[in-house]
C-alpha cells in the first residue's frame, strides 16, 4: 500500500577488538556455559518463531464467469506489457488491493490469449536485446512486499503457471505483521520458482515534510525539512541519505541470500512530480539508481515509456497499474491500448475510435471532434493514437486528407514521433503549411511554405530516424530533422492529430476525412 512505510532503524557497527580482563573472561565463560545449556531451548524457540512467521496459504479460487477468455489483442509479436500490482487479499480495505478472484480472472484472460509471464532475468534481457522467449508476454510486478503475495497470490500464480516479481521495502520486511512479508515467507516464495525479488528502497517508501510549511513529499525524491534545525537538508546530505538507503537495501538482499536486484520501483511512482532539488541536480537520484540497477520502473511518466527500445534507452520503464476498481473488461481494454502494434496492423485508425485518447480535452470527447464535429467549448482539440502501442515506431508513412479549411483561422495538424525527444508537427491551413520540430532542449525550429489555396489538402509524411519528408498535395515538399541520423530510440513514436477553429462558433470545424498508416 502506498502510504505504508517501515519504521526507522539504525545500524550499530562493531567497534575494534579489546583485551578482556580476567573477570571478563570468567564472565564470558559462564555465559558460554549458559548458552550451551540453553541451546536446545533456543533452537526450539527459533523454530517456533520461524514457523509463526509463515502464514497459511489460501487455495486459488475456482474460475468464475468473468474469468472466461477475454478479448485481449494478439499482434504478430508484441513487446512485454509490465503490470503493476500491490496487495492481494479477499477482504480489501483500499483501492490498491485486489481480491484473489480478481487476480485469478485477469491471469486467466492472459493465459487464454496466449500470454506468457517473464522472469526478471528474461525481462532485463529483453531491454538489452529486444528479444523474448515468446511472442506475447507480460512482466508481473507487485510493489511493497506484502504478506498477501504469499498467502493469496502465490497459489493463483501456480494455477496459471506464471511468474512474478515482488519489489521489497527491505526495512519493512517482518514488521507490521501481518501486513508485510517475513523473510521466512520470502525464502519459501523464492524456493517455489514462481517469484523473484527486486528493490523498492530500504526505508524510503514514505512521505515527510519538505518545507517549513509542512508540505509532504516523497523522501526519496526530495530534500527533507529538518525541523529541529529549522532548515532544509542540503543536497550533499540528501545524496548521502539516499545513497545510504539504497546500499542498505542491497545489503539486505545479500544478507538474506537473495540475488542482487536488477530493477528498482519508485515509491509512489514519483519520477516526474515536483521536487525541491535544484534544477541542476534533479538527475542526482537518477544517477544513483543507474549506478545500482539496470532500469527503474514507474507508473507515471512525463512521456509514454512502455517496455521497448525507447524505455531501454531512457533506462526507465512505465507500468500499467492495476487497481481494485479495474474490472476484468477494463483490464482487457487497457491491455489492448498497451500492446505494441506495427504500422501495417493499424492501417486506418479513424475506423477504430477505441484506439484514440484525448488528453486535456473535456470528458466525453470522441473521434467525431476530429472528423467535423469539433468541441462545443474551446477552439482546439487533439487526440493521440495508441500512444503506448506505437511508442517504438521509427519508420512508417502517414497519409492524411484534411477538409473544411477556411482562411488562416482554421487549421489541422499531424504530429509524428509523438512522445519522442524530437517530435515533428505538420500544420496545414487553407493556403499554408508549417513544419515544427521540438527537440528536448526546449527550442523550436519552424519551416513554413505556401500552397495553392484550397479547402481540402492531402498530406504525406515519410518518417525515418534520419528525417521526416512532408509532401502537400503531391507537390510541395519540406524535410524536417534531416541534419543527421538520430538514434531511433530518441525519435520513435506514433501519431497524434489536432484541429483548430478560431473563426467563431458559427464556423464549421476543419476535419480529417481520411487517415492511413503504412510501413
Amino acid at each position: 500500500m502506498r502510504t505504508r512505510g517501515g519504521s526507522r532503524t539504525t545500524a550499530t557497527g562493531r567497534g575494534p577488538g579489546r583485551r578482556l580482563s580476567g573477570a571478563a573472561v570468567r564472565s564470558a565463560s559462564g555465559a558460554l556455559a549458559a548458552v550451551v545449556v540453553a541451546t536446545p531451548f533456543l533452537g526450539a524457540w527459533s523454530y517456533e518463531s520461524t514457523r509463526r512467521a509463515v502464514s497459511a496459504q489460501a487455495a486459488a479460487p475456482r474460475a468464475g464467469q468473468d474469468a472466461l477468455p477475454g478479448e485481449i489483442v494478439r499482434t504478430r509479436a508484441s513487446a512485454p506489457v509490465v503490470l503493476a500490482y500491490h496487495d492481494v487479499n479477499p477482504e480489501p480495505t483500499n483501492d490498491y488491493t485486489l481480491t484473489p478472484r480478481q487476480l485469478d480472472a485477469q491471469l486467466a484472460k492472459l493465459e487464454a490469449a496466449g500470454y506468457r509471464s517473464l522472469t526478471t532475468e528474461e525481462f532485463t534481457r529483453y531491454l538489452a536485446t529486444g528479444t523474448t522467449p515468446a511472442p506475447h508476454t507480460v512482466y508481473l510486478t507487485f510493489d511493497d512486499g506484502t504478506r498477501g503475495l504469499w498467502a493469496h497470490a502465490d497459489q493463483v500464480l501456480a494455477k496459471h503457471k506464471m511468474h512474478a516479481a515482488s519489489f521489497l521495502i527491505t526495512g519493512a520486511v517482518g514488521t507490521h505483521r501481518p501486513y508485510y512479508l517475513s523473510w521466512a515467507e520470502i525464502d519459501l516464495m523464492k524456493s517455489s520458482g514462481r517469484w523473484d525479488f527486486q528493490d523498492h528502497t530500504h526505508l524510503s517508501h514514505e512521505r515527510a515534510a519538505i518545507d517549513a510549511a509542512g508540505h509532504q513529499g516523497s523522501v526519496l525524491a526530495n530534500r527533507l525539512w529538518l525541523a529541529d534545525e529549522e532548515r532544509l537538508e542540503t543536497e550533499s546530505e540528501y545524496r548521502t541519505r539516499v545513497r545510504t538507503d539504497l546500499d542498505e537495501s542491497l545489503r539486505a538482499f545479500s544478507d538474506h541470500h537473495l540475488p542482487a536486484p536488477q530493477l528498482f520501483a519508485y515509491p509512489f511512482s514519483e519520477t516526474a512530480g515536483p521536487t525541491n532539488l535544484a534544477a541542476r541536480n534533479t538527475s542526482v537520484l537518477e544517477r544513483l539508481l543507474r549506478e545500482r540497477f539496470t532500469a527503474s520502473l514507474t507508473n507515471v511518466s512525463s512521456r509514454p515509456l512502455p517496455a521497448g527500445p525507447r524505455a531501454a534507452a531512457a533506462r526507465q520503464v512505465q507500468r500499467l497499474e492495476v487497481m481494485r476498481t479495474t474490472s476484468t473488461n477494463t483490464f482487457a481494454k487497457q491491455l489492448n491500448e498497451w500492446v505494441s502494434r506495427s504500422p501495417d496492423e493499424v492501417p486506418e485508425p479513424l475506423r477504430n475510435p477505441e484506439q484514440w485518447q484525448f488528453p486535456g480535452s473535456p470528458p466525453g470527447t470522441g473521434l467525431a471532434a476530429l472528423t467535423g464535429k469539433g468541441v462545443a467549448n474551446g477552439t482546439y482539440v487533439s487526440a493521440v493514437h495508441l500512444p503506448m502501442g506505437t511508442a517504438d515506431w521509427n519508420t512508417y508513412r502517414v497519409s492524411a486528407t484534411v477538409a473544411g479549411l477556411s482562411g488562416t483561422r482554421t487549421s489541422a495538424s499531424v504530429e509524428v514521433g509523438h512522445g519522442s525527444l524530437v517530435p515533428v508537427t505538420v500544420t496545414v491551413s487553407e493556403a499554408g503549411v508549417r513544419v515544427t520540430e521540438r527537440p528536448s532542449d526546449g527550442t523550436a525550429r519552424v519551416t513554413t511554405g505556401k500552397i495553392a489555396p484550397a479547402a481540402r489538402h492531402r498530406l504525406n509524411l515519410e518518417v525515418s530516424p534520419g528525417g521526416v519528408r512532408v509532401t502537400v498535395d503531391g507537390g510541395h515538399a519540406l524535410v524536417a530533422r534531416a541534419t543527421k541520423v538520430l538514434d531511433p530510440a530518441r525519435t520513435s513514436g506514433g501519431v497524434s492529430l489536432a484541429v483548430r477553429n478560431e473563426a467563431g462558433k458559427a464556423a464549421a470545424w476543419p476535419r480529417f476525412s481520411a487517415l492511413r498508416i503504412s510501413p
Side-chain angles (χ1 to χ4, degrees), residues 22-366:
V25 170
R26 287 192 296 274
S27 176
S29 299
L32 177 61
V35 168
V36 171
V37 172
T39 294
F41 300 99
L42 289 173
W45 176 86
S46 176
Y47 172 79
E48 180 63 13
S49 176
T50 301
R51 188 187 69 80
R52 286 201 307 268
V54 176
S55 304
Q57 281 192 313
R62 295 181 179 180
Q65 185 175 357
D66 62 351
L68 296 174
E71 298 73 33
I72 294 177
V73 171
R74 288 185 60 181
T75 56
R76 281 192 292 274
S78 58
V81 177
V82 186
L83 298 175
Y85 293 94
H86 296 270
D87 197 7
V88 180
N89 195 294
E91 298 180 359
T93 58
N94 58 72
D95 287 341
Y96 297 101
T97 302
L98 271 69
T99 66
R101 187 168 297 281
Q102 282 181 297
L103 180 64
D104 179 63
Q106 292 171 6
L107 298 191
K109 283 203 180 276
L110 290 168
E111 187 178 22
Y115 279 75
R116 177 195 186 282
S117 61
L118 298 178
T119 65
T120 296
E121 182 179 354
E122 290 170 333
F123 179 70
T124 54
R125 188 183 305 129
Y126 165 79
L127 293 179
T129 66
T131 60
T132 57
H136 308 103
T137 57
V138 290
Y139 178 48
L140 306 176
T141 69
F142 290 79
D143 283 359
D144 304 338
T146 62
R147 183 189 66 96
L149 306 189
W150 163 255
H152 303 290
D154 181 63
Q155 289 305 300
V156 179
L157 289 178
K159 174 181 175 181
H160 298 287
K161 299 180 175 61
M162 290 196 176
H163 189 96
S166 171
F167 285 72
L168 300 175
I169 308 168
T170 52
V173 175
T175 70
H176 300 293
R177 294 284 291 173
Y179 185 75
Y180 289 112
L181 288 165
S182 67
W183 287 112
E185 289 166 339
I186 289 171
D187 190 51
L188 290 171
M189 291 165 70
K190 173 190 170 187
S191 300
S192 75
R194 288 185 288 275
W195 295 90
D196 60 64
F197 299 90
Q198 303 301 311
D199 207 299
H200 203 36
T201 78
H202 183 63
L203 283 173
S204 290
H205 192 294
E206 57 185 51
R207 298 184 190 277
I210 59 173
D211 58 27
H215 295 111
Q216 300 279 302
S218 165
V219 303
L220 192 73
N222 291 276
R223 291 183 292 161
L224 301 182
W225 177 255
L226 307 179
D228 292 344
E229 302 176 39
E230 296 186 340
R231 67 175 179 90
L232 199 61
E233 188 177 39
T234 68
E235 298 213 359
S236 175
E237 289 170 332
Y238 164 81
R239 284 194 297 272
T240 299
R241 174 173 59 80
V242 171
R243 184 185 297 113
T244 300
D245 181 89
L246 295 175
D247 289 344
E248 189 70 21
S249 186
L250 294 176
R251 193 174 301 114
F253 276 83
S254 175
D255 289 347
H256 291 89
H257 310 292
L258 293 175
Q262 302 177 67
L263 299 174
F264 177 86
Y266 279 93
F268 315 110
S269 287
E270 289 190 350
T271 56
T275 176
N276 60 13
L277 293 172
R280 68 181 182 280
N281 284 328
T282 53
S283 61
V284 166
L285 176 57
E286 185 177 312
R287 287 200 300 272
L288 291 172
L289 294 176
R290 289 187 174 195
E291 291 168 2
R292 291 160 176 80
F293 306 100
T294 300
S296 57
L297 305 184
T298 179
N299 305 338
V300 181
S301 179
S302 58
R303 63 191 182 108
L305 286 174
R310 181 198 283 185
R315 292 184 64 176
Q316 186 179 117
V317 182
Q318 192 172 350
R319 303 180 293 181
L320 173 56
E321 188 172 32
V322 185
M323 308 288 285
R324 182 166 65 92
T325 53
T326 305
S327 69
T328 310
N329 287 335
T330 299
F331 174 77
K333 178 179 180 294
Q334 291 178 339
L335 204 66
N336 288 342
E337 294 172 352
W338 282 59
V339 171
S340 56
R341 324 287 181 100
S342 60
D344 61 339
E345 289 177 309
V346 284
E348 298 185 81
L350 294 182
R351 293 180 178 270
N352 299 282
E354 75 283 357
Q355 294 180 357
W356 293 87
Q357 296 180 15
F358 296 81
S361 297
T365 302

